[in-house]
Amino acid sequence: MNETTETVFVVEDDEAVRDSLELLLKSSDKGVMTYPSANVFLEDYSDDMAGCIVLDIRMPGMDGMELQRRLNEKNSILPIIFVTGHGDVPMAVDAMKQGAVDFIQKPYREEDLLKKIEEALEQDREQRKTLGQKQEITRRIGMLTPRETEIMDRMIAGQANKVIAIELDISQRTVEIHRSRVMHKMGTHSLAHLVRMVMSVKDRIDAS
């Protein structure tokens, strides 16, 4: 599935509850898809899904907590709102530690659930915006030649052109040319901005 439209994914084994949530979300002009089990959702899951998950915690087979663990293993950033009629404090704490954005118990007021969904959708938008920016920075870094990458690393370390030229045994003019190409490819005129961009994706670079 290639789902890019913002959607509320409802994973709930109780058909009546599932239908009720679908009706509520559609009446609130939300995109919604429903799943009768965690396994069915996991089979449909792809990392380009946008929106949030409203997840029942107790279901036959794979329960909500296990689905959350499986999604974390896939580095999913979809916010999860757990809904349950049997929750307790330790379960709620565990769910939040694993990254759930909220944990609410049945019966709940529809207005409260819709408010939490709005907050989760906003969180997802912000996360995807940040992710998109990091992907673009990583793409630009990938356009640099090995020499340009070396020059950029030294620029970020605060080395002056003269020092870089001496240590790499090249002319200062050559350093200036590489430096200009680095700034052009990275789409910035500011060294401070360049440093912020590269630091924001340092984890990705280190992991690659």
Side-chain angles (χ1 to χ4, degrees):
M1 172 181 174
N2 292 318
E3 179 59 66
T4 54
T5 305
E6 185 175 275
T7 302
V8 180
F9 303 97
V10 176
V11 185
E12 166 66 68
D13 65 304
D14 187 313
E15 183 176 3
V17 175
R18 196 167 64 242
D19 290 346
S20 174
L21 281 171
E22 182 175 22
L23 183 62
L24 171 66
L25 291 164
K26 284 184 175 178
S27 68
S28 302
D29 294 325
K30 299 282 189 301
V32 55
M33 293 186 67
T34 62
Y35 299 85
S37 73
N39 279 315
V40 173
F41 175 80
L42 201 56
E43 289 173 1
D44 201 38
Y45 172 79
S46 65
D47 59 11
D48 60 354
M49 285 178 164
C52 71
I53 306 173
V54 176
L55 178 58
D56 188 14
I57 203 162
R58 291 190 186 276
M59 294 180 287
M62 186 191 305
D63 64 16
M65 297 293 287
E66 178 61 21
L67 176 57
Q68 182 187 35
R69 281 190 284 272
R70 298 283 190 92
L71 291 174
N72 285 343
E73 289 173 359
K74 294 176 178 292
N75 298 315
S76 170
I77 61 172
L78 275 173
I80 295 176
I81 300 171
F82 276 112
V83 179
T84 180
H86 310 280
D88 54 26
V89 173
M91 188 178 290
V93 170
D94 190 23
M96 300 301 278
K97 281 183 177 178
Q98 295 298 320
V101 298
D102 229 315
F103 187 100
I104 61 176
Q105 287 187 272
K106 303 172 184 175
Y108 51 79
R109 294 196 315 153
E110 292 182 344
E111 305 84 66
D112 293 339
L113 177 61
L114 289 174
K115 181 181 178 182
K116 293 180 186 301
I117 287 173
E118 286 291 354
E119 292 171 352
L121 293 175
E122 179 59 29
Q123 177 178 319
D124 187 61
R125 290 179 204 122
E126 289 298 319
Q127 289 179 157
R128 289 184 186 282
K129 179 181 176 183
T130 300
L131 182 62
Q133 291 170 340
K134 289 184 176 182
Q135 289 172 336
E136 175 60 15
I137 293 169
T138 303
R139 186 188 71 80
R140 287 175 180 269
I141 290 175
M143 294 167 58
L144 302 178
T145 65
R147 177 63 95 184
E148 289 166 353
T149 301
E150 188 175 24
I151 297 290
M152 183 181 74
D153 289 343
R154 291 171 180 272
M155 290 165 59
I156 291 172
Q159 289 189 346
N161 289 354
K162 184 176 180 179
V163 174
I164 296 173
I166 292 172
E167 292 192 357
L168 296 182
D169 194 23
I170 57 178
S171 72
Q172 192 167 328
R173 177 57 183 157
T174 300
V175 173
E176 291 170 355
I177 292 172
H178 282 306
R179 187 182 183 113
S180 175
R181 288 173 178 166
V182 167
M183 300 299 273
H184 175 71
K185 288 184 177 179
M186 293 302 294
T188 182
H189 300 288
S190 163
L191 178 58
H193 186 211
L194 177 68
V195 172
R196 287 198 299 274
M197 285 197 293
V198 175
M199 290 299 102
S200 73
V201 297
K202 187 174 184 305
D203 290 345
R204 284 169 167 251
I205 296 173
D206 292 344
S208 62

